[in-house]
Amino acid sequence: MVPIQVAVCGPAECTPAEGELAHEVGGLLARAGATVLCGGGPGVMAAVARGARDAGGLVVGVRPDADRAATRTPEGDFPVMVMTGMGQARNVILVLSADAVIAVGGSWGTLSEVALAMRRGRPVVSLGGWQVADAAGRPVSGPVVVTTAAEAVRTALEAAR
């Protein structure tokens, strides 16, 4: 059986609450046996990586740049780095490599990852992040909005299976 891969997206400049949620999500995913994918940077990305590593899981950073040595920092020391050299186009690689996507918080980069995942048919779970509405203000179907890390992980894993 191929292990489930879940991408966790979120802002590089996150709030403390978003960082705590991301850390919890990473730990829960790792304990469930999922491989965690993220953008390999600071903020939500570093927090989810710490959570996954603290729980003994595997986390893969998919970087927009090509210089692996420049990305090594105490907060973002990822055991596996994929250096794309593609800038924000790396978001496509990230979401296409995932069986499901969890967005923690929101930034423009996070919104692009959510949109790309939806367009490519990946299940998306939003935890304290973007909620897209149509012109009449009605929520657009697609991303599942949740309020806890446990609910985000459970929903993503169920959708990925």
Side-chain angles (χ1 to χ4, degrees):
M1 178 180 207
V2 176
I4 291 175
Q5 297 189 158
V6 177
V8 180
C9 308
E13 295 180 12
C14 69
T15 67
E18 290 167 338
E20 288 175 23
L21 285 172
H23 186 271
E24 186 178 355
V25 164
L28 290 168
L29 286 170
R31 285 189 284 284
T35 298
V36 177
L37 309 175
C38 70
V44 163
M45 298 167 279
V48 75
R50 276 192 309 276
R53 284 194 323 260
D54 289 351
L58 175 62
V59 61
V60 178
V62 181
R63 295 287 306 160
D65 45 9
D67 183 5
R68 187 169 168 220
T71 65
R72 294 293 182 194
T73 65
E75 68 190 16
D77 188 20
F78 294 83
V80 180
M81 291 288 249
V82 177
M83 309 308 295
T84 68
M86 297 178 66
Q88 293 303 307
R90 75 77 155 51
N91 292 353
V92 176
I93 294 168
L94 178 63
V95 300
L96 288 181
S97 298
D99 300 304
V101 175
I102 298 174
V104 179
S107 65
W108 290 115
T110 308
L111 182 58
S112 77
E113 290 160 327
V114 167
L116 288 165
M118 291 304 306
R119 293 286 298 176
R120 300 306 267 173
R122 299 304 191 265
V124 177
V125 179
S126 179
L127 177 58
W130 288 100
Q131 296 182 40
V132 183
D134 66 15
R138 292 180 301 261
V140 173
S141 65
V144 177
V145 177
V146 298
T147 58
T148 68
E151 189 180 9
V153 169
R154 183 178 61 254
T155 302
L157 293 176
E158 287 173 0
R161 290 186 178 108

